[in-house]
Amino acid sequence: MSGPAEIADGANGDTCVVYDIGELVVGPSEDDAGETPLEIFEDAAFAAIDGEVVAVGSSEDVTREYPSENAETAVDADGRAVVPGFVDPHTHAVFAGDRSDEFEAKLRGKEYQEILAEGGGILRTVRATREASDEELLENLTGHLETMLAHGTTTVEVKSGYGLETETELRQLEAIDRADAAQPVDLVATFMGAHAVPENRETDAYVDDVIEEQLPAVAEQGVAEFCDVFCEEGVFDVAQSRRVLEAGLEHGLTPKVHAEEFVRLGGAGLAADLQAASADHLLHANEDDVAALCEAGVVPVLLPGTAFGLGEAYADARAFLEAGAPVALATDFNPNCHSRSMEFTQTLGAVEMGMTPAEALLASTRNAALALGLENGTGTLREGAPADAVVLEAPSFAHLAYRFDTTAVDAVLKAGEVVIE
Ligand code: NIG
Ligand code: FE
């Protein structure tokens, strides 16, 4: 194929048509026995009005009903593949400071938790984030979102957790809210005051602070939808994590858990018990955890970039897939895992965790949206869903996992508008 997809602006209200799509990934297949977990149309098109998909079908049928010359936005995909915009359901993207020197220390054998215990790692980012101005936090975040969007991500979950006191936690959430309004990527905010224990604090007393001071202020601010906790040896144990998440529930925040990352502590069982939206990391989850999460309908969010960056063994994606779980993938973008690309995340899912390219794409779209409780079709291009789509510079979605050099993204649409071309 030659040249980039042709994009034209027409003149008829808020109609968008993407046509002459060689391979259109619409969403999960409804045929459980099928060979691929994806529903795919060939020679296809979709149309959207006011940012919402209204028609999906053959290019001929859709353009007959919605002629491209009448559409405000018309994209000639020229035989390329089009997929739903990626959803990144786990990031810590609002922070200040730089920890690239810790990367080198880790390469020389220093452990992640050793760095944290010495006041580095998360605690170092906390110091830098507390010192940063509101504008600096917003600027840092929007810069990262720009990169994510250029790599096809149209919805991102962002956690607080680098304040560890009320004021900075609220400032982080405020930055997420302002960034949501200021640029095209849709943001979902998670409060994570229980991300680490601040220096010179005792864990139970800090948990009291999170529950009694931070959570009421966060609920009043009204930005966060989820409450997350780092349930990990040396950080918050299961009982402490439960206290935080149950208090979050009382304030209307849905639980999420950083579970079984470095050791198997019981975070997955807790997530199942509380019917959390997701349990994330799961590197050390065992068969019982897989069964418990499946039974409770908790989405397992796997973060292969973290294992890659730390040189750890990966989560057992196949165990979750074979149990029928809606496995999701996320970047975990944070100063310890400098990955903003859901494309590279899919590559890692395939190469390192044995996922098929189709499973990795489903995990990066619809299943990732499920981890955020998004019921409006986000992560699909079905009728009624937001018209968030990625036009690839490739004939098939398989190029997303297959390529690991530069991006396979040619153009990105958010709510029916071309935002990257
Ligand atoms: O999900 N594991 C805990 N939290 C983050 C890391 C945050 C950091 O190191 O700054 C994670 O990997
Ligand atoms: Fe995380």
Side-chain angles (χ1 to χ4, degrees), residues 90-92 112 157 159 162 192 195 228 230 258 261 280-281 303 306 332-334:
H90 182 139
T91 82
H92 306 253
Y112 176 86
E157 184 258 17
K159 302 174 200 295
Y162 291 123
M192 199 173 177
H195 192 196
D228 199 342
F230 191 12
H258 278 63
E261 182 180 356
D280 303 41
H281 284 289
L303 311 163
T306 318
D332 193 22
F333 172 60
N334 72 70

Side-chain angles (χ1 to χ4, degrees), residues 101-304:
D101 55 345
E102 287 179 6
F103 177 65
E104 198 177 325
K106 283 177 281 185
L107 291 176
R108 280 190 260 109
K110 196 142 186 169
E111 300 282 333
Y112 176 86
Q113 283 157 302
E114 205 183 328
I115 296 172
L116 180 61
E118 289 169 0
I122 295 175
L123 294 172
R124 188 164 162 210
T125 304
V126 167
R127 288 191 291 276
T129 303
R130 285 178 181 172
E131 276 167 27
S133 68
D134 292 351
E135 292 316 309
E136 197 179 334
L137 292 180
L138 179 64
E139 219 173 276
N140 291 353
L141 174 57
T142 49
H144 296 312
L145 294 170
E146 227 173 85
T147 303
M148 290 172 170
L149 186 64
H151 289 263
T153 301
T154 49
T155 302
V156 177
E157 184 258 17
V158 186
K159 302 174 200 295
S160 68
Y162 291 123
L164 310 185
E165 37 82 353
T166 309
E167 187 198 330
T168 313
E169 289 293 316
L170 292 179
R171 291 203 302 120
Q172 282 195 278
L173 292 166
E174 177 71 22
I176 297 167
D177 198 40
R178 284 175 68 194
D180 191 26
Q183 52 75 57
V185 178
D186 264 329
L187 302 185
V188 176
T190 296
F191 165 62
M192 199 173 177
H195 192 196
V197 182
E199 282 167 291
N200 307 317
R201 292 299 307 275
E202 194 269 321
T203 308
D204 279 314
Y206 179 64
V207 168
D208 291 344
D209 277 9
V210 171
I211 293 172
E212 286 158 26
E213 290 174 26
Q214 296 180 24
L215 262 171
V218 165
E220 195 185 320
Q221 182 192 38
V223 173
E225 290 176 43
F226 296 93
C227 180
D228 199 342
V229 54
F230 191 12
C231 183
E232 185 63 52
E233 192 173 68
V235 193
F236 300 98
D237 66 22
V238 175
Q240 291 159 339
S241 301
R242 177 185 284 277
R243 282 186 65 210
V244 171
L245 297 176
E246 283 180 344
L249 273 168
E250 280 171 27
H251 287 286
L253 302 183
T254 305
K256 280 181 170 282
V257 187
H258 278 63
E260 334 299 3
E261 182 180 356
F262 293 100
V263 298
R264 180 169 180 269
L265 196 72
L270 176 65
D273 202 39
L274 295 177
Q275 294 193 301
S278 67
D280 303 41
H281 284 289
L282 301 168
L283 272 57
H284 295 273
N286 70 10
E287 276 174 24
D288 294 343
D289 299 324
V290 173
L293 292 172
C294 278
E295 188 162 334
V298 179
V299 178
V301 177
L302 308 183
L303 311 163

